[in-house]
Amino acid sequence: MNLTLHVWRQKNAQSEGRFVTYQAKNIIPDMSFLEMLDVVNQELILKGEEPIAFEHDCREGICGSCGMVINGYPHGGHRGTTTCQLHMRHFKDGDVITIEPWRARAFPVLKDLIVDRSAFDRIIQAGGFISANTGVAQDANTVLVPKQNAEAAMDAAACIGCGACVAACPNASAMLFTAAKITHLGLLPQGQPERYTRVVRMVEQMDREGFGGCTNIGECSAACPKEIPLSVIARMNRDLLVAKLKGVN
Amino acid sequence: MTTTDTRPTTVRPATEYLDPKLNSKIPEGPIERKWERHKFEMKLVSPTNRRRYTIIVVGSGLAGASAAATLAEAGYNVKCYTYHDSPRRAHSIAAQGGINAAKNYRNDGDSVFRLFYDTVKGGDFRAREANVYRLAEVSMAIIDQCVAQGVPFAREYSGYLDNRSFGGAQVARTFYARGQTGQQLLLGAYQALSRQIGLGQVKMFSRTEMLDLVVIDGRARGIVTRDMVTGKIESHVADAVVLATGGYSNVFYLSTNAKASNATAIWRAYRRGAFFGNPCFTQIHPTCIPVSGDHQSKLTLMSESLRNDGRVWVPKTPGDKRPPSSIPEDERDYYLERKYPSFGNLAPRDIASRAAKQVCDEGRGVGPGGLGVYLDFSDAIKRLGRKVIEERYGNLFEMYERITGENPYETPMRIYPAVHYTMGGLWVDYNLMSTIPGLFVIGEANFSDHGANRLGASALMQGLADGYFILPYTIADYLASTKFTKVDTTHIAFREAEAEVTDRIKRLLNTKGTRTVDMFHRELGKIMWDYCGMARNEAGLKHALEVIPELRERFWREVKVPGEGNDINQELEKAGRVADFMELAELMCIDALHRNESCGGHFREEHQTEEGEAKRDDENFAYVAAWEFTGLGTKPVLHKEPLYFEYVKPTIRSYK
């Protein structure tokens, strides 16, 4: 099939970007979306033009590197699917596809479809961990974790840090990302001692990075390729409230 | 895998090839006391002195992140580098199955010795016993540490940790977090690392690629990097350098590795004098989704567990193009069940992979290009019902359908083997130090504890063992027993390395040829897959050794790298990595040609039994081949580290 692409091109963080139109020819339905872009890029290189820059790595939906807004939807809008796992059989001959980077103040564009997501790293650095130095641990089975807690913690821990939640949110909020980590660690007995300082530190950092607030729209969870439930945000807000009542600063 | 045959084989006396340049530094004493004793005998750096030392860690996957975090917790200044935007993206994240540990929580007879035994045997007797024993010994502490960090391992209803069984073992010793064990372990290490970054004890350099190693007075003293956003070439000084940069399966172009996984860091170190151990040892995983066309950019692994209930078959007649449902039962060849009646569809990875290749070579492969075999669940669905199969494999079936567009409940899956792990890597001694003093190599990047074949769920174990529990001790011994001269980035060695790196980038950008980097990479991959892949032979390897240098020359003459060097330039990044693969490929073929035996993943067609099984030659090849760089185009020098088997006597593996 043949497709028309409108792709956001931007040389670097300092320059202005614009949409450029490309034709993607002889695309096979078995190709992934990124493989379709590979085809376009190979042609551009042979023509002596710079290829479209986009991030990608594992191409099996787990590393969280890839991500672009496809026809208005982060990762293309198919349930539980990252861009690298989106296949061209979902498109048809003659389709016009608009491709943009994540749009959020806290995620500045570095080039074309590549954005800087280091704000997420800084949120984790602020408190998204359990302080357990190597060597301190006692035998693993001395900590018992109820199965349902372990499962719920795993649901939240499945976050791949791609940033689709921020891109989908009209407020560019990072609540789903932050709350997923708070939920993961807060559900486990090992995470209890730092539970309230963690939520305070991480939320502080989140606000400092320039992410917006949550207005309970739910786009984040709908766009999440790992289907992290919206309820994690409620849990984070509850923990934050308790932390404030406890006077944790 | 389980082995049934235990006929002993002859091993050549190891003293025959002692090499003065290879001192494995294996401690004296009985195997179960070696590590403990060594830990006591090694020198320590006192807590107050640790802040005087700077350690560079390149790579932030399981091995790199765990090492960087642990060294920082101890009080060293750590600088950690990754070419990703975040340390959390490293390819360790894609490991699915689990991590082994000899906890014996199942009370099923597991022990440190059994894990050690299984690993040495699974590696087809090409690993160092002392290292493997230590790996098994520290395996338990890894699980403890990860639980303390909050890794959400699978639990039983009682709240205790759950285990599953895995290939190569008769005990259930694999800990897992759904099908995302690698992700959860990596996030555990990433969070520990993040904590140290937040505390200022680790300086993290993301989007920074190491392009050369700097050796001063015979010691590794720093690296040269490229800032992937600004293109700036920079030097970094340290007292020791740790490479944790993963494997090199992408030399085959198509593999299950992430797209950016590359050999540049270890290859540059090799060129600076670090010996390369067993470069030809690669593992080919039997259950991957087959290539669907020329556009294919990478391969996806399907968990080995599928072979518990799926039956592998191809049509009996070559060229049979009928859809699987129209091929009657008596015209199907369930070749694994036929050839290996006692193991059937659960034959070990290397055997199952080769058998698939064989039937495809006979023209009986299925799907586009005839490179695939069926993995059929219809009998299992009839026997157990769809619901049971859905519970067991639902997520895998969904993943398969997403990629192929076919429903495996209705039509058999198509699978084909793919490269996914390299047992070879930089040679290291018992202290994980390479032949360059001060250069340590951990995780998949070193030649590793897996011999000629790695068992499932052991890669995660090794990466974390190296990073959390081994390197932090051995690097202290090196620091405490070395007198350092003060150097900074103005040193001539740094200036020269920077100039070389800059020149190479300029050359790549200025060639302005007619073919893209990917075109060359695909071509190289095809050569490697055809001649140095699942089956190798003398004629093929010799042919590869002729065409690879030609391809390399063409690459430097005809490659087209658009753009400039001073901003994000993904083609330039790729070009440098592929240029190094072009050199590494040659070394892999030299090693494969020299190893005139079959062992583990290395199958030389000349050395097989009448039934087509691998035939090891312990008399002549029970050693680690460590190659020394002597210049591009000149033959590297082979050094041999003898392998002693005092505790696990080499036997012939059989799966009939």
Side-chain angles (χ1 to χ4, degrees):
Chain A
M1 56 186 160
N2 297 314
L3 307 157
T4 302
L5 311 180
H6 297 305
V7 185
W8 185 261
R9 301 301 306 261
Q10 183 172 335
K11 189 167 169 43
N12 53 40
Q14 291 75 42
S15 29
E16 294 219 344
R18 66 195 171 95
F19 280 105
V20 179
T21 303
Y22 299 100
Q23 300 302 321
K25 288 177 217 134
N26 304 317
I27 299 305
I28 299 159
D30 280 338
M31 286 179 180
S32 70
F33 198 84
L34 299 185
E35 285 168 347
M36 180 274 292
L37 285 179
D38 288 344
V39 171
V40 174
N41 274 345
Q42 290 294 304
E43 268 183 41
L44 288 177
I45 298 166
L46 289 175
K47 278 197 285 188
E49 291 177 38
E50 271 205 63
I52 302 157
F54 61 90
E55 279 192 291
H56 63 96
D57 199 24
C58 76
R59 294 201 176 193
E60 48 188 89
I62 193 77
C63 75
S65 295
C66 69
M68 43 192 86
V69 178
I70 301 164
N71 287 338
Y73 293 98
H75 292 303
H78 288 261
R79 194 181 63 86
T81 304
T82 54
T83 304
C84 63
Q85 290 204 307
L86 175 66
H87 282 74
M88 295 313 291
R89 65 182 74 93
H90 297 296
F91 297 87
K92 52 184 196 302
D93 189 41
D95 273 0
V96 177
I97 307 174
T98 305
I99 309 172
E100 298 166 81
W102 287 169
R103 300 278 190 200
R105 189 190 303 153
F107 287 167
V109 174
L110 294 177
K111 184 170 187 166
D112 299 343
L113 305 173
I114 300 178
V115 297
D116 180 356
R117 287 170 288 192
S118 55
F120 272 8
D121 285 325
R122 289 188 291 274
I123 292 173
I124 299 294
Q125 286 157 20
F129 46 75
I130 289 171
S131 302
N133 281 3
T134 303
V136 299
Q138 75 283 53
D139 184 83
N141 256 351
T142 52
V143 182
L144 298 188
V145 182
K147 189 177 172 68
Q148 62 273 24
N149 284 24
E151 294 294 323
M154 182 63 215
D155 286 340
C159 168
I160 58 174
C162 65
C165 47
V166 176
C169 177
N171 311 325
S173 168
M175 291 278 232
L176 194 73
F177 169 80
T178 310
K181 188 46 66 190
I182 285 165
T183 301
H184 159 209
L185 299 176
L187 277 169
L188 298 171
Q190 308 93 297
Q192 297 312 309
E194 294 168 293
R195 180 169 169 185
Y196 297 107
T197 46
R198 177 182 307 120
V199 67
V200 171
R201 296 284 166 275
M202 289 179 77
V203 169
E204 264 172 18
Q205 188 62 35
M206 182 182 85
D207 291 342
R208 209 173 293 143
E209 296 291 348
F211 292 105
C214 174
T215 47
N216 290 318
I217 295 164
E219 289 280 353
C220 53
S221 185
C224 175
K226 297 297 150 183
E227 302 177 74
I228 309 269
L230 200 60
S231 57
V232 297
I233 296 180
R235 192 184 164 87
M236 177 176 85
N237 286 334
R238 201 167 56 237
D239 275 7
L240 188 64
L241 180 68
V242 173
K244 292 293 173 196
L245 291 173
K246 281 172 179 276
V248 179
N249 286 305
Chain B
M1 67 229 60
T2 316
T3 54
T4 52
D5 193 336
T6 49
R7 274 172 292 155
T9 59
T10 338
V11 183
R12 189 165 163 175
T15 43
E16 275 185 33
Y17 27 66
L18 271 185
D19 189 296
K21 287 196 178 174
L22 286 183
N23 183 355
S24 59
K25 300 201 181 123
I26 298 168
E28 296 292 317
I31 199 153
E32 63 280 359
R33 297 268 302 138
K34 282 180 196 293
W35 178 232
E36 203 186 323
R37 189 167 150 177
H38 191 56
K39 277 198 287 188
F40 178 73
E41 284 169 357
M42 280 187 292
K43 288 190 179 161
L44 300 172
V45 179
S46 74
T48 48
N49 279 338
R50 291 177 198 154
R51 62 170 177 268
R52 295 179 215 272
Y53 292 105
T54 299
I55 299 167
I56 281 175
V57 179
V58 187
S60 62
L62 279 186
S66 59
T70 305
L71 291 167
E73 287 162 9
Y76 298 103
N77 294 305
V78 178
K79 297 196 223 172
C80 185
Y81 300 80
T82 174
Y83 54 68
H84 286 113
D85 66 320
S86 160
R88 68 180 293 153
R89 312 272 183 228
H91 193 54
S92 311
I93 208 157
Q96 300 170 355
I99 175 166
N100 288 329
K103 282 284 197 184
N104 195 30
Y105 282 162
R106 285 300 179 94
N107 194 29
D108 58 1
D110 200 12
S111 62
V112 169
F113 197 89
R114 189 175 296 281
L115 176 54
F116 155 70
Y117 178 91
D118 287 348
T119 308
V120 170
K121 199 164 183 175
D124 215 0
F125 305 95
R126 291 294 173 265
R128 201 187 276 153
E129 275 192 340
N131 284 50
V132 178
Y133 193 89
R134 175 177 61 186
L135 175 66
E137 212 177 330
V138 302
S139 66
M140 293 173 282
I142 297 171
I143 303 303
D144 301 341
Q145 183 59 32
C146 293
V147 166
Q149 288 171 344
V151 170
F153 281 123
R155 300 272 167 174
E156 292 172 353
Y157 282 103
S158 56
Y160 287 105
L161 287 156
D162 193 14
N163 289 116
R164 56 163 64 145
S165 47
F166 233 76
Q170 288 162 307
V171 293
R173 62 158 77 99
T174 305
F175 295 79
Y176 65 101
R178 292 193 191 147
Q180 292 128 277
T181 317
Q183 180 200 27
Q184 293 309 314
L185 295 175
L186 180 67
L187 292 180
Y190 160 73
Q191 286 161 206
L193 173 64
S194 295
R195 175 171 160 242
Q196 295 303 319
I197 297 169
L199 291 169
Q201 201 64 36
V202 174
K203 188 161 166 40
M204 188 73 216
F205 297 80
S206 51
R207 296 191 195 273
T208 305
E209 184 164 25
M210 166 183 165
L211 293 179
D212 211 346
L213 176 77
V214 177
V215 181
I216 295 172
D217 300 331
R219 295 183 184 281
R221 290 307 300 273
I223 59 171
V224 172
T225 61
R226 179 174 180 271
D227 180 319
M228 293 155 79
V229 179
T230 63
K232 201 166 171 225
I233 303 298
E234 282 174 313
S235 288
H236 309 264
V237 188
D239 299 301
V241 176
V242 181
L243 299 185
T245 53
Y248 49 89
S249 294
N250 275 346
V251 69
F252 292 90
Y253 185 73
L254 286 180
S255 82
T256 64
N257 277 191
K259 291 297 284 177
S261 299
N262 70 82
T264 289
I266 57 170
W267 191 254
R268 294 285 125 191
Y270 166 72
R271 292 184 57 126
R272 294 279 176 199
F275 293 3
F276 208 118
N278 298 332
C280 81
F281 285 173
T282 46
Q283 186 170 69
I284 310 219
H285 199 290
T287 53
C288 298
I289 299 176
V291 176
S292 65
D294 294 337
H295 60 271
Q296 191 96 20
S297 61
K298 78 151 310 219
L299 298 170
T300 303
L301 189 89
M302 299 294 288
S303 170
E304 188 168 89
S305 61
L306 288 169
R307 289 195 283 145
N308 279 303
D309 286 306
R311 297 179 72 195
V312 178
W313 65 275
V314 288
K316 278 187 177 161
T317 327
D320 190 339
K321 293 281 173 245
R322 286 174 293 175
S325 55
S326 328
I327 300 178
E329 198 61 27
D330 61 348
E331 290 179 46
R332 300 174 174 191
D333 179 13
Y334 294 90
Y335 59 90
L336 285 178
E337 296 170 22
R338 174 172 58 80
K339 288 166 86 171
Y340 309 102
S342 62
F343 278 72
N345 295 298
L346 278 173
R349 286 179 179 177
D350 48 347
I351 306 268
S353 293
R354 278 197 287 275
K357 179 183 186 308
Q358 214 170 26
V359 294
C360 293
D361 287 351
E362 290 163 13
R364 299 194 285 145
V366 298
L371 291 177
V373 299
Y374 290 124
L375 180 61
D376 197 334
F377 289 86
S378 52
D379 283 355
I381 291 171
K382 254 182 250 158
R383 194 176 69 243
L384 304 163
R386 182 178 160 138
K387 200 166 175 309
V388 174
I389 295 300
E390 225 175 276
E391 276 168 17
R392 287 188 189 166
Y393 310 111
N395 59 336
L396 294 168
F397 277 36
E398 203 182 293
M399 178 163 97
Y400 181 84
E401 188 173 359
R402 189 176 294 153
I403 293 175
T404 61
E406 290 172 2
N407 180 350
Y409 293 104
E410 281 154 20
T411 183
M413 279 186 182
R414 284 175 298 107
I415 53 164
Y416 198 66
V419 184
H420 87 127
Y421 189 88
T422 49
M423 281 76 70
L426 291 185
W427 183 90
V428 288
D429 63 15
Y430 188 75
N431 295 322
L432 304 179
M433 189 163 84
S434 70
T435 50
I436 301 175
L439 179 70
F440 293 78
V441 192
I442 58 176
E444 190 180 348
N446 72 25
F447 86 101
S448 99
D449 305 340
H450 310 294
N453 177 51
R454 182 178 62 73
L455 291 182
S458 282
L460 302 181
M461 171 174 70
Q462 186 224 334
L464 290 180
D466 289 0
Y468 283 134
F469 296 108
I470 302 171
L471 177 93
Y473 286 92
T474 59
I475 206 167
D477 182 46
Y478 170 77
L479 295 171
S481 49
T482 304
K483 232 179 136 54
F484 290 96
T485 47
K486 191 150 175 56
V487 297
D488 58 34
T489 54
T490 59
H491 192 283
I492 179 89
F494 279 101
R495 298 270 77 85
E496 279 173 4
E498 279 184 25
E500 277 175 45
V501 165
T502 310
D503 271 5
R504 197 153 172 273
I505 289 171
K506 271 194 199 140
R507 246 181 99 193
L508 288 168
L509 288 168
N510 293 338
T511 302
K512 299 194 193 300
T514 51
R515 302 184 71 222
T516 66
V517 177
D518 279 2
M519 289 172 168
F520 283 103
H521 196 176
R522 279 176 199 272
E523 212 174 315
L524 177 71
K526 184 157 176 15
I527 296 170
M528 292 304 284
W529 181 249
D530 287 348
Y531 303 110
C532 197
M534 258 188 289
R536 301 144 176 198
N537 63 52
E538 188 182 338
L541 288 164
K542 283 186 169 160
H543 173 72
L545 284 170
E546 275 171 31
V547 294
I548 292 167
E550 282 169 23
L551 182 66
R552 198 165 57 219
E553 269 175 45
R554 269 200 291 131
F555 173 86
W556 283 102
R557 237 182 13 246
E558 295 171 15
V559 75
K560 190 180 184 83
V561 181
E564 294 148 37
N566 58 0
D567 69 344
I568 295 179
N569 187 336
Q570 294 174 316
E571 283 299 302
L572 177 64
E573 293 159 17
K574 244 185 335 194
R577 295 166 191 166
V578 172
D580 286 335
F581 278 141
M582 296 260 180
E583 298 179 13
L584 167 62
E586 192 176 0
L587 183 67
M588 289 171 71
C589 292
I590 291 173
D591 186 46
L593 182 62
H594 121 278
R595 191 167 280 278
N596 211 356
E597 65 157 351
S598 294
C599 60
H602 171 64
F603 187 75
R604 280 286 299 269
E605 286 168 349
E606 301 92 327
H607 302 284
Q608 48 181 312
T609 61
E610 274 169 30
E611 302 92 23
E613 306 301 340
K615 218 161 115 187
R616 225 171 53 226
D617 177 359
D618 289 336
E619 204 169 335
N620 295 301
F621 289 97
Y623 61 76
V624 178
W627 297 90
E628 180 182 9
F629 182 71
T630 54
L632 196 58
T634 57
K635 206 174 174 319
V637 174
L638 173 64
H639 300 270
K640 298 175 182 177
E641 182 204 333
L643 292 169
Y644 305 84
F645 294 97
E646 289 176 72
Y647 295 87
V648 189
K649 289 290 160 222
T651 52
I652 295 164
R653 297 154 79 214
S654 164
Y655 307 95
K656 295 279 167 192

